[in-house]
């Protein structure tokens, strides 16, 4: 089957080429991000593969459908960038990679915690300048601190396990309790209790109607003064303007973000010679206690291999038996939005 691979980057091509090696699929790599302007590039191509920065809103899906596309193969677990109801209406099958390496994102989240806490980023720059002073680098023991994990699915569970290894007390909030987390001694508590008791709050829930701006001004005010907030889930789970206000007040102690509400215009591109127009994002970058990475939580060799393999398997299954050929757990439908 011919597959138009939007937003393809040089670093993922070797993984996709290896995954399709034993198939008859033809991959057409496109640098372009999927949008109403670029949907035309997939005319007469039955399968389109997209990543998190692509736009699969209703008009784009309609344009793809008119061009003959019948499968949207996401190279991601998250599907908040897809108008799932419109895809269903048009009869476009949407397949995702529900699990690849939860460890990749979990370890990145904990890496952000350790960097913010022990200020490795500042220490690295300082030592290279032959400045060996410790002023400003004071951290805290993770051991004995309380961490609040919001969302204890695959990634949240892996985060809980690492934090338990550090000797943290771990509180969790999730509408569905994960028995593996309970077995580790994680305490499920109401959100308000989690906010009030946690030294670190880390987000691992999907972006849905219920979680959009979950971390708003009221939630931030309910957190402990000096709290560390980590977001490796999706940008819009956090109200960035409210976060900036809480940082300016000094209420939030440090922030690690791998995702940002408006990241679609920024991330995965080299903009080092450009004037960034997003003033909210630029303000975030000015805080010494804010660390931003550009959606790289997933970016390990193991995760990239698994993403490529599952994406190609989803296309192969669709080629054999249509939607029924895609494992049910990989199919994205409006049922997942409830
Ligand atoms: P998962 O589906 O295994 O777990 C999500 C958990 O969130 C589930 O247990 C669910 O019950 C819970 N949840 C749903 N609504 C909630 C709410 N209102 N409050 C609290 N918990 C809620 O998903 P997984 O694999 O653990 O991924 C989590 C998220 O991480 C993804 O949705 C995606 O947004 C993000 N992600 C980020 C990546 C990155 O590179 N930074 C890569 C992969 C995923």
């Amino acid at each position: 089957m011919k597959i138009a691979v939007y937003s393809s980057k040089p670093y993922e091509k070797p993984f996709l080429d290896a995954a399709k090696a034993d198939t008859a699929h033809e991959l057409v790599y496109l640098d372009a991000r999927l949008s109403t302007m670029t949907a035309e590039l997939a005319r007469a191509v039955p399968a389109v593969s997209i990543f998190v920065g692509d736009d699969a809103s209703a008009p784009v899906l309609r344009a793809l459908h008119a061009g003959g596309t019948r499968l949207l193969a996401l190279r991601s677990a998250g599907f908040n960038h897809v108008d799932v109801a419109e895809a269903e209406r048009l009869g476009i099958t949407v397949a995702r990679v529900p699990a690849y390496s939860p460890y990749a994102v979990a370890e990145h989240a904990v890496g952000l915690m350790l960097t913010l806490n022990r200020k490795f980023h500042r220490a690295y720059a300082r030592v290279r300048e032959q400045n060996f002073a410790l002023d400003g680098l004071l951290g805290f023991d993770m051991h004995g601190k309380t961490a609040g994990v919001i969302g204890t699915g695959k990634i949240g569970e892996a985060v809980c396990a690492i934090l338990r290894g550090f000797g943290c007390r771990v509180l969790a909030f999730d509408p569905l309790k994960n028995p593996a987390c309970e077995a580790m001694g994680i305490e499920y508590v109401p959100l308000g209790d989690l906010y009030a008791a946690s030294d670190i709050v880390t987000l691992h829930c999907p972006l849905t109607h219920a979680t959009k701006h979950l971390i708003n001004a009221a939630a931030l005010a309910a957190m402990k003064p000096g709290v560390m907030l980590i977001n490796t889930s999706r940008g819009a789970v956090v109200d960035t303007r409210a976060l900036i206000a809480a940082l300016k007040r000094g209420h939030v102690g440090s922030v690690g973000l791998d995702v940002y509400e408006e990241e679609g215009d920024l991330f995965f591109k080299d903009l080092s010679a450009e004037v960034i127009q997003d003033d909210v994002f630029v303000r975030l970058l000015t805080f010494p206690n804010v660390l931003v990475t550009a959606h790289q939580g997933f970016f390990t060799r193991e995760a990239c291999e698994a993403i490529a393999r599952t994406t190609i398997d989803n296309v192969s299954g669709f080629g054999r038996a249509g939607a029924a050929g895609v494992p049910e757990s990989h199919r994205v439908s409006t049922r997942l939005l409830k």
Side-chain angles (χ1 to χ4, degrees):
M1 187 175 281
K2 195 165 177 179
I3 313 166
V5 185
Y6 279 88
S7 298
S8 62
K9 299 288 178 200
Y11 47 75
E12 60 179 338
K13 289 178 188 168
F15 295 106
L16 284 163
D17 285 340
K20 71 122 207 184
D22 296 330
T23 72
H25 301 314
E26 180 194 345
L27 298 180
V28 180
Y29 289 114
L30 301 168
D31 293 342
R33 179 174 168 242
L34 177 62
S35 68
T36 41
M37 304 281 289
T38 61
E40 177 64 24
L41 298 172
R43 175 160 290 281
V45 179
V48 159
S49 178
I50 64 170
F51 195 51
V52 293
D54 289 299
D55 172 7
S57 58
V60 180
L61 291 174
R62 285 195 288 273
L64 288 177
H65 184 263
T69 296
R70 295 296 176 262
L71 173 68
L72 194 62
L74 313 185
R75 305 196 297 287
S76 63
F79 50 86
N80 49 285
H81 52 314
V82 180
D83 188 324
V84 180
E86 185 65 11
E88 240 165 53
R89 204 186 62 72
L90 293 166
I92 294 180
T93 299
V94 182
R96 65 175 177 141
V97 184
Y100 34 97
S101 166
Y103 311 109
V105 185
E107 289 167 12
H108 190 78
V110 176
L112 291 174
M113 289 175 204
L114 291 174
T115 305
L116 284 166
N117 176 11
R118 305 305 296 268
K119 300 163 185 73
F120 296 139
H121 53 315
R122 300 183 68 190
Y124 173 79
R126 225 182 247 198
V127 167
R128 288 177 70 93
E129 293 290 322
Q130 301 181 29
N131 174 357
F132 308 114
L134 298 184
D135 313 66
L137 301 184
L138 188 68
F140 58 81
D141 283 9
M142 297 281 283
H143 184 92
K145 292 295 177 298
T146 300
V149 178
I150 300 182
T152 53
K154 292 173 287 295
I155 296 170
E157 178 188 324
V159 168
C160 287
I162 299 171
L163 293 176
R164 289 294 285 158
F166 282 160
C168 293
R169 176 185 178 213
V170 182
L171 305 179
F173 174 79
D174 192 312
L176 296 174
K177 289 185 183 169
N178 177 339
C181 290
E182 289 184 300
M184 282 179 223
I186 307 309
E187 304 162 53
Y188 281 93
V189 295
L191 260 187
D193 294 358
L194 182 149
Y195 293 152
S198 299
D199 302 293
I200 301 167
V201 173
T202 184
L203 308 176
H204 303 289
C205 54
L207 175 61
T208 63
H209 294 306
T211 61
K212 171 135 202 251
H213 286 187
L214 177 74
I215 306 302
N216 56 17
L220 290 162
M223 292 181 198
K224 272 178 135 175
V227 66
M228 178 191 288
L229 176 70
I230 304 292
N231 186 10
T232 60
S233 69
R234 283 294 179 267
V237 177
V238 175
D239 177 345
T240 313
R241 288 168 199 272
L243 178 63
I244 288 173
L247 277 160
K248 284 170 78 177
R249 278 202 313 280
H251 181 70
V252 169
S254 54
V255 176
L257 303 175
D258 188 47
V259 286
Y260 168 63
E261 283 187 82
E262 306 298 334
E263 69 180 47
D265 293 333
L266 300 167
F267 288 3
F268 309 119
K269 296 175 200 157
D270 178 359
L271 301 181
S272 48
E274 310 275 324
V275 175
I276 293 180
Q277 299 298 325
D278 182 336
D279 293 346
V280 175
F281 183 71
V282 172
R283 180 67 180 100
L284 265 184
L285 297 184
T286 64
F287 292 98
N289 49 351
V290 172
L291 183 60
V292 180
T293 53
H295 207 137
Q296 69 174 81
F298 73 97
F299 199 46
T300 65
R301 193 173 305 113
E302 291 76 5
C304 289
E305 272 164 14
I307 291 170
R309 198 171 47 246
T310 306
T311 302
I312 296 297
D313 286 352
N314 284 340
V315 175
S316 302
F318 184 82
R320 274 194 306 275
V326 178
E328 183 161 4
S329 59
H330 298 196
R331 258 180 277 152
V332 178
S333 69
T334 45
R335 148 186 74 80
L336 293 175
L337 300 175
K338 293 182 182 122

Coordinates of all heavy atoms in Angstrom, one line a residue, residues 77-78 80 96 98-100 102 105 150-156 173-176 204-208 210-211 214 232-234 258-259 295-299, ligand 1:
A77 N 0.7 7.9 20.3 CA -0.3 7.3 21.1 C -1.5 8.3 21.2 O -2.6 8.0 21.0 CB 0.2 7.0 22.5
G78 N -1.1 9.6 21.4 CA -2.1 10.7 21.6 C -2.8 10.9 20.2 O -2.2 10.7 19.2
N80 N -5.3 13.7 20.1 CA -6.0 14.9 20.3 C -5.9 15.8 19.1 O -6.7 16.8 19.0 CB -5.5 15.6 21.5 CG -4.0 15.8 21.5 OD1 -3.3 14.8 21.8 ND2 -3.5 16.9 21.2
R96 N -3.6 4.1 15.8 CA -2.6 4.7 16.5 C -1.6 3.7 17.1 O -1.8 2.5 16.8 CB -3.1 5.5 17.7 CG -3.8 4.7 18.8 CD -4.2 5.5 19.9 NE -4.9 4.7 20.9 CZ -4.8 4.9 22.2 NH1 -4.0 5.8 22.7 NH2 -5.5 4.1 23.1
P98 N -0.8 2.5 20.4 CA -1.2 2.8 21.8 C -0.1 2.7 22.8 O -0.2 3.3 23.9 CB -2.3 1.7 22.0 CG -2.0 0.7 21.0 CD -1.3 1.3 19.9
A99 N 0.9 1.8 22.6 CA 2.0 1.7 23.5 C 3.2 1.4 22.8 O 3.2 0.7 21.8 CB 1.7 0.4 24.4
Y100 N 4.3 2.1 23.1 CA 5.6 1.8 22.5 C 6.6 1.6 23.7 O 6.7 0.5 24.2 CB 6.0 2.8 21.5 CG 5.7 4.2 21.7 CD1 6.6 5.1 22.2 CD2 4.5 4.7 21.3 CE1 6.3 6.4 22.4 CE2 4.2 6.1 21.5 CZ 5.1 6.9 22.0 OH 4.8 8.2 22.2
P102 N 6.7 3.0 27.3 CA 6.3 3.9 28.4 C 7.5 4.4 29.2 O 7.5 5.5 29.7 CB 5.4 3.1 29.3 CG 5.7 1.7 29.0 CD 6.2 1.6 27.6
V105 N 9.1 7.9 28.0 CA 8.5 9.2 28.5 C 8.7 9.3 30.0 O 9.0 10.3 30.5 CB 7.0 9.2 28.1 CG1 6.4 10.6 28.5 CG2 6.8 9.0 26.6
I150 N -0.7 12.3 38.1 CA -2.0 12.4 37.6 C -2.1 11.6 36.3 O -1.4 12.0 35.3 CB -2.4 13.9 37.3 CG1 -2.3 14.6 38.7 CG2 -3.8 14.0 36.7 CD1 -2.7 16.1 38.6
G151 N -2.8 10.5 36.3 CA -2.9 9.6 35.2 C -1.9 8.5 35.4 O -0.7 8.6 35.4
T152 N -2.5 7.3 35.8 CA -1.6 6.1 36.1 C -1.8 5.0 35.1 O -2.1 3.9 35.4 CB -1.8 5.6 37.5 OG1 -3.2 5.4 37.7 CG2 -1.3 6.6 38.6
G153 N -1.8 5.4 33.8 CA -1.8 4.4 32.7 C -0.4 3.8 32.6 O 0.3 3.7 33.6
K154 N 0.0 3.5 31.3 CA 1.3 2.9 31.1 C 2.5 3.8 31.6 O 3.4 3.3 32.2 CB 1.4 2.5 29.6 CG 0.4 1.4 29.2 CD 0.4 1.1 27.8 CE -0.3 2.2 26.9 NZ -1.7 2.3 27.2
I155 N 2.4 5.0 31.1 CA 3.5 5.9 31.5 C 3.5 6.3 33.0 O 4.5 6.2 33.7 CB 3.5 7.2 30.6 CG1 3.7 6.8 29.1 CG2 4.6 8.2 31.0 CD1 3.5 7.9 28.1
G156 N 2.3 6.6 33.5 CA 2.2 7.0 34.9 C 2.7 5.8 35.8 O 3.3 6.1 36.8
F173 N -3.9 10.3 41.1 CA -5.3 10.5 40.8 C -5.5 10.0 39.4 O -4.7 10.3 38.4 CB -5.6 12.0 40.8 CG -7.0 12.2 40.3 CD1 -8.1 12.0 41.2 CD2 -7.3 12.6 39.0 CE1 -9.4 12.1 40.7 CE2 -8.6 12.8 38.5 CZ -9.6 12.5 39.4
D174 N -6.5 9.2 39.2 CA -6.9 8.6 38.0 C -8.3 8.1 38.1 O -8.6 7.4 39.2 CB -6.0 7.5 37.5 CG -6.1 7.0 36.1 OD1 -7.3 6.8 35.6 OD2 -5.1 6.9 35.4
P175 N -9.3 8.4 37.2 CA -10.6 7.8 37.4 C -10.6 6.3 37.4 O -11.5 5.7 38.0 CB -11.4 8.3 36.2 CG -10.5 9.3 35.5 CD -9.1 9.2 36.1
L176 N -9.6 5.7 36.8 CA -9.4 4.2 36.8 C -8.2 3.8 37.6 O -7.1 4.2 37.2 CB -9.2 3.7 35.4 CG -10.4 3.8 34.4 CD1 -9.9 3.4 33.0 CD2 -11.6 3.0 34.8
H204 N 0.4 12.7 33.5 CA 0.5 11.5 32.6 C -0.9 11.1 32.1 O -1.1 9.9 31.8 CB 1.2 10.4 33.2 CG 2.6 10.8 33.6 ND1 3.6 11.1 32.7 CD2 3.1 11.2 34.9 CE1 4.6 11.6 33.4 NE2 4.4 11.6 34.6
C205 N -1.9 12.1 32.0 CA -3.2 11.8 31.5 C -3.3 12.2 30.1 O -2.5 13.1 29.6 CB -4.2 12.5 32.4 SG -3.9 14.3 32.5
P206 N -4.2 11.7 29.3 CA -4.3 12.2 27.9 C -5.0 13.6 27.9 O -5.6 14.0 28.9 CB -5.2 11.2 27.3 CG -6.0 10.6 28.4 CD -5.2 10.7 29.6
L207 N -5.0 14.3 26.8 CA -5.7 15.5 26.6 C -7.1 15.2 26.1 O -7.3 14.6 25.1 CB -5.0 16.4 25.6 CG -5.8 17.7 25.3 CD1 -6.0 18.6 26.5 CD2 -5.0 18.5 24.2
T208 N -8.1 15.5 27.0 CA -9.5 15.2 26.6 C -10.3 16.5 27.0 O -9.7 17.4 27.6 CB -10.1 14.0 27.4 OG1 -10.1 14.4 28.8 CG2 -9.3 12.8 27.2
A210 N -12.2 16.7 29.4 CA -12.1 16.8 30.9 C -10.7 17.3 31.4 O -10.6 17.8 32.5 CB -12.4 15.4 31.5
T211 N -9.7 17.0 30.6 CA -8.3 17.4 31.1 C -7.8 18.7 30.5 O -6.7 19.2 30.9 CB -7.3 16.3 30.9 OG1 -7.2 16.1 29.5 CG2 -7.7 15.0 31.6
L214 N -6.8 21.4 33.0 CA -6.9 20.8 34.3 C -6.1 21.6 35.3 O -6.5 21.9 36.4 CB -6.5 19.3 34.2 CG -6.5 18.5 35.5 CD1 -8.0 18.2 35.9 CD2 -5.7 17.2 35.4
T232 N 4.6 16.1 30.7 CA 5.1 15.4 29.5 C 3.9 14.8 28.8 O 4.0 13.9 28.0 CB 6.1 14.3 29.8 OG1 5.5 13.3 30.7 CG2 7.4 14.8 30.5
S233 N 2.7 15.2 29.1 CA 1.5 14.6 28.5 C 1.1 15.4 27.3 O 1.5 15.1 26.2 CB 0.4 14.4 29.5 OG -0.2 15.6 29.9
R234 N 0.3 16.4 27.4 CA 0.0 17.3 26.3 C -0.1 18.7 26.8 O -0.6 19.0 27.9 CB -1.4 16.9 25.7 CG -1.3 15.7 24.8 CD -0.5 15.9 23.5 NE -0.4 14.7 22.7 CZ 0.5 13.8 22.7 NH1 1.5 13.9 23.6 NH2 0.5 12.8 21.9
D258 N 7.7 19.2 28.5 CA 8.1 18.5 27.2 C 7.1 18.8 26.2 O 7.2 18.5 25.0 CB 8.2 17.0 27.4 CG 8.9 16.4 26.2 OD1 9.9 16.9 25.7 OD2 8.3 15.3 25.7
V259 N 6.0 19.5 26.6 CA 4.9 19.8 25.7 C 4.4 21.2 26.0 O 4.6 21.7 27.1 CB 3.7 18.8 25.9 CG1 4.1 17.4 25.3 CG2 3.3 18.6 27.3
H295 N 9.2 18.2 23.0 CA 8.4 17.0 22.8 C 9.4 15.9 22.4 O 9.2 15.2 21.4 CB 7.3 17.2 21.7 CG 6.2 16.3 21.9 ND1 4.9 16.7 21.8 CD2 6.1 14.9 22.2 CE1 4.1 15.6 22.0 NE2 4.8 14.6 22.2
Q296 N 10.3 15.6 23.3 CA 11.3 14.5 23.0 C 11.1 13.4 23.9 O 12.0 12.4 23.9 CB 12.7 15.1 23.0 CG 13.2 15.5 24.4 CD 14.7 15.9 24.4 OE1 15.0 17.0 24.1 NE2 15.5 15.0 24.8
G297 N 10.1 13.4 24.8 CA 9.9 12.3 25.7 C 9.9 10.9 25.1 O 10.5 10.0 25.6
F298 N 9.3 10.8 23.9 CA 9.2 9.5 23.2 C 10.5 9.1 22.6 O 10.7 7.9 22.1 CB 8.2 9.6 22.1 CG 8.6 10.4 20.9 CD1 9.2 9.8 19.8 CD2 8.6 11.8 21.0 CE1 9.7 10.5 18.7 CE2 9.1 12.5 19.9 CZ 9.6 11.9 18.8
F299 N 11.5 10.0 22.5 CA 12.6 9.9 21.5 C 13.7 9.0 22.0 O 14.8 9.4 22.4 CB 13.1 11.3 21.2 CG 13.9 11.3 19.9 CD1 13.4 10.7 18.7 CD2 15.0 12.0 19.8 CE1 14.1 10.7 17.6 CE2 15.8 12.1 18.6 CZ 15.3 11.4 17.5
Ligands
LIG1 P1 -2.6 5.4 28.9 O1 -3.9 5.5 28.1 O2 -2.0 4.1 29.2 O3 -2.9 6.2 30.4 C1 -3.6 7.4 30.5 C2 -4.2 7.3 31.9 O4 -4.8 8.6 32.1 C3 -5.3 6.3 32.0 O5 -5.1 5.5 33.2 C4 -6.6 7.1 32.2 O6 -7.6 6.5 33.0 C5 -6.0 8.4 32.8 N1 -6.9 9.5 32.7 C6 -7.9 9.8 31.8 N2 -8.6 10.9 32.2 C7 -8.0 11.3 33.3 C8 -8.3 12.4 34.2 N3 -9.2 13.3 33.9 N4 -7.5 12.6 35.2 C9 -6.5 11.7 35.5 N5 -6.2 10.6 34.8 C10 -7.0 10.5 33.7 O7 -1.6 6.4 28.2 P2 0.0 6.5 28.3 O8 0.6 5.7 27.3 O9 0.3 6.4 29.8 O10 0.2 8.1 27.9 C11 -0.3 9.1 28.6 C12 -0.2 10.4 27.8 O11 1.2 10.7 27.6 C13 -0.7 10.3 26.4 O12 -2.1 10.5 26.3 C14 0.0 11.4 25.7 O13 -0.7 12.6 25.8 C15 1.3 11.5 26.5 N6 2.5 11.1 25.7 C16 3.5 12.0 25.6 C17 4.7 11.6 24.9 C18 5.9 12.5 24.8 O14 6.7 12.3 23.9 N7 6.0 13.5 25.6 C19 4.8 10.3 24.2 C20 3.6 9.4 24.5 C21 2.5 9.8 25.2

